[in-house]
Amino acid sequence: MNELKEIKFIDIDGIKLGHAEDEIGGTGVSVVIAKDGATGGVDVRGGAPGTRETDLLDPSEMVEKVHAVVLSGGSAFGLDASSGVMKYLEERDIGFDVTVAKVPIVCQAVLFDLAFKDPKARPDKEMGYKACINSETYSGDINGNIGGGFGATVGKLLGPDTSMKGGLGTYAVEVNGLKVGAIVCVNCLGDVIDPKNSEIVAGAFDRSTKTFLNSENILLNNINKEKTPFKGNTTIGIIVTNAKFTKAEAKKVSSMAHNGFARTMRPAHTMFDGDTIFTMATNKIESDVTTVGMISSNVMEKAILRAVKSAETLYGVPSLKGLASFE
């Protein structure tokens, strides 16, 4: 029987990963670079997305490959980080050849972290460029308060005062030469659940009683009341694989990977989340889209759990690791 072996996310053929943060402002950016290009797909399920260059990933559009995908904080302001990624790639002659220049194809999704620390601190061109530079030497497997997940929080149905720390998570596996990994910035409106026992891992948290409030119960108990939930959310991620796929197949992988969101976040894909998953296929090995999609949903699930389990309490926002000592 073939078994899945855990590997580092950066062990997937044809990619590099870089992070950068503004630790004082409370935001950050992560970038996955494929200098030789990767077949791209995307599936946007949330009702409030902030994205860049998702239209060209439609299977009917001309461009086949992307050179980088960016995940960042900063809400729509954070889309500026892609300019720094484009600068970095152009300097290295990486991009779609249009004869007079090579245009780097850079996609991006953002999350809302403006209420975390300083609302004037946003990922910009400089931070995007710095993340690319850092990708040249990054060899770790750091999760939690890093990159695009630095300012992420979860459980915000009642606002930031009952939120807990989210973060960035990665998880990757290999089986018979096939490699599939997930990177995700967890910043959801709802709670993060462990699918094994349906218990809340992190979410809406009463800091005085030190108890979880259960976001689904909050919604049910206020079913006849006007909904005014906190609007600053969104979980964003990327599936990376060394499989050979078309854009249509890459999109299907993104679609199946959303099962990982649904298993671990309750509720997921709300009108107040911009939940988005990209897929990057580096086209090194033949594989079946259904198999990769199945694995993708599993690694995304594990990456989400790793993000919140690795996060540290920051700026007074409690993390799972810090609950025991949180005052």
Side-chain angles (χ1 to χ4, degrees):
M1 179 179 176
N2 294 327
E3 294 186 0
L4 296 171
K5 179 184 71 173
E6 185 179 353
I7 60 174
K8 286 184 179 182
F9 181 82
I10 58 172
D11 289 339
I12 300 173
D13 306 307
I15 64 112
K16 288 187 175 182
L17 171 63
H19 305 289
E21 304 87 24
D22 177 351
E23 296 186 3
I24 296 176
T27 190
V29 59
S30 299
V31 58
V32 177
I33 297 173
K35 68 180 183 65
D36 295 325
T39 304
V42 68
D43 189 358
V44 181
R45 296 275 181 100
T51 56
R52 179 186 192 273
E53 295 279 44
T54 53
D55 285 351
L56 62 78
L57 298 182
D58 186 285
S60 66
E61 303 301 330
M62 179 183 66
V63 174
E64 287 292 329
K65 295 184 176 182
V66 302
H67 302 102
V69 176
V70 181
L71 305 176
S72 84
S75 190
F77 295 107
L79 292 170
D80 191 34
S82 283
S83 297
V85 178
M86 289 194 70
K87 176 185 177 184
Y88 174 88
L89 294 172
E90 184 183 28
E91 288 175 351
R92 286 150 184 82
D93 198 34
I94 297 170
F96 180 70
D97 193 345
V98 293
T99 306
V100 295
K102 286 188 178 178
V103 181
I105 306 301
V106 179
C107 301
Q108 184 177 359
V110 297
L111 56 80
F112 185 98
D113 58 4
L114 300 181
F116 178 62
K117 181 61 175 173
D118 180 359
K120 294 296 184 181
R122 301 110 181 220
D124 55 13
K125 182 177 181 178
E126 181 180 355
M127 191 183 296
Y129 189 85
K130 181 180 178 182
C132 292
I133 293 294
N134 290 341
S135 75
E136 297 173 0
T137 55
Y138 181 80
S139 59
D141 196 17
I142 302 172
N143 294 269
N145 299 350
I146 187 172
F150 189 83
T153 49
V154 301
K156 293 174 281 190
L157 187 61
L158 297 178
D161 290 342
T162 54
S163 68
M164 285 181 62
K165 190 70 184 67
L168 179 141
T170 61
Y171 195 90
V173 295
E174 178 179 3
V175 56
N176 281 358
L178 171 67
K179 299 176 182 180
V180 184
I183 179 170
V184 62
C185 300
V186 184
N187 188 64
C188 53
L189 174 76
D191 304 325
V192 177
I193 307 295
D194 187 338
K196 291 181 179 179
N197 53 26
S198 294
E199 291 184 357
I200 299 174
V201 177
F205 182 73
D206 188 321
R207 301 179 189 183
S208 59
T209 63
K210 296 186 179 181
T211 57
F212 290 113
L213 300 173
N214 193 312
S215 294
E216 289 189 324
N217 286 346
I218 294 171
L219 287 171
L220 290 173
N221 291 333
N222 293 276
I223 199 166
N224 294 320
K225 296 181 181 179
E226 183 180 356
K227 302 296 186 297
T228 56
F230 183 65
K231 297 178 176 62
N233 313 290
T234 297
T235 297
I236 50 180
I238 312 167
I239 294 295
V240 179
T241 178
N242 64 347
K244 294 180 181 179
F245 286 143
T246 64
K247 286 203 293 183
E249 290 170 328
K251 179 179 176 66
K252 184 60 178 177
V253 170
S254 291
S255 175
M256 294 180 71
H258 272 285
N259 292 331
F261 277 25
R263 292 174 192 160
T264 55
M265 294 183 288
R266 297 183 185 173
H269 307 131
T270 76
M271 287 300 292
F272 304 97
D273 290 282
D275 297 343
T276 299
I277 299 177
F278 294 94
T279 292
M280 301 173 72
T282 59
N283 301 301
K284 305 295 184 182
I285 187 171
E286 297 288 346
S287 191
D288 169 64
V289 66
T290 297
T291 302
V292 174
M294 175 194 69
I295 297 172
S296 296
S297 65
N298 291 336
V299 294
M300 182 60 75
E301 173 187 315
K302 289 179 171 60
I304 290 168
L305 292 174
R306 180 170 285 177
V308 296
K309 289 180 178 181
S310 301
E312 302 281 353
T313 296
L314 191 63
Y315 301 135
V317 179
S319 67
L320 175 63
K321 291 172 67 174
L323 280 187
S325 60
F326 183 77
E327 298 293 340

